Each structure stands twice: as structure tokens, then as C-alpha cells.
Amino acid sequence: MRLLVSTTDPTLIPFAQALLAGEDIAAFELDVHTSVLTGSSFLLPRRLMVADGDWFIARAVLVDNDFPAEALK
């Protein structure tokens, strides 16, 4: 697994997942409940991981759809 997106913006992870699902790229979200448990819902970044072999095409899909560059890894 390789890190593709890291962000505190709650709208970016679902947006990225929708774009990737449209290209049949599996993505796994990390840290979903961590921020809720600590009581700081927008302080801790959430991460989106993809398989190593899918990383290049997944990143290209997000860039082609004007995904915010600061969230890409």
C-alpha cells in the first residue's frame, strides 16, 4: 500500500474515492475514526492508500480531475 492523499478536509477523501472507483482502483481510507475518538475532527489528517501498482495511475486520475495538489503525496 502507498499513501496517495493526506488531508484534514472532510470533503476531499470521498471525492478522491469516487474518482478512483470510476477507474476501478481500490482505495483504503486510514484514520477514519481517530479524529473522532480524540475529539479533534479536523486536526488530524485522514489518509487514502492505494496498491503500489495503482499509485501512478491513481495520482494521474486525481491530477487530471483538478484534485488539490497540497493533498496529494
Side-chain angles (χ1 to χ4, degrees), residues 4-62:
L4 179 65
V5 174
S6 179
T7 183
T8 57
D9 185 336
T11 64
L12 290 182
I13 296 290
F15 178 48
Q17 288 176 316
L19 291 172
L20 296 175
E23 299 293 329
D24 292 325
I25 299 172
F28 184 76
E29 187 177 357
L30 298 177
D31 307 320
V32 177
H33 303 291
T34 305
S35 57
V36 173
L37 291 175
T38 61
S40 55
S41 60
F42 299 113
L43 295 178
L44 300 174
R46 294 166 109 181
R47 299 176 290 162
L48 190 63
M49 309 291 284
V50 295
D52 290 336
D54 290 335
W55 185 85
F56 183 78
I57 191 71
R59 192 171 196 289
V61 166
L62 297 183

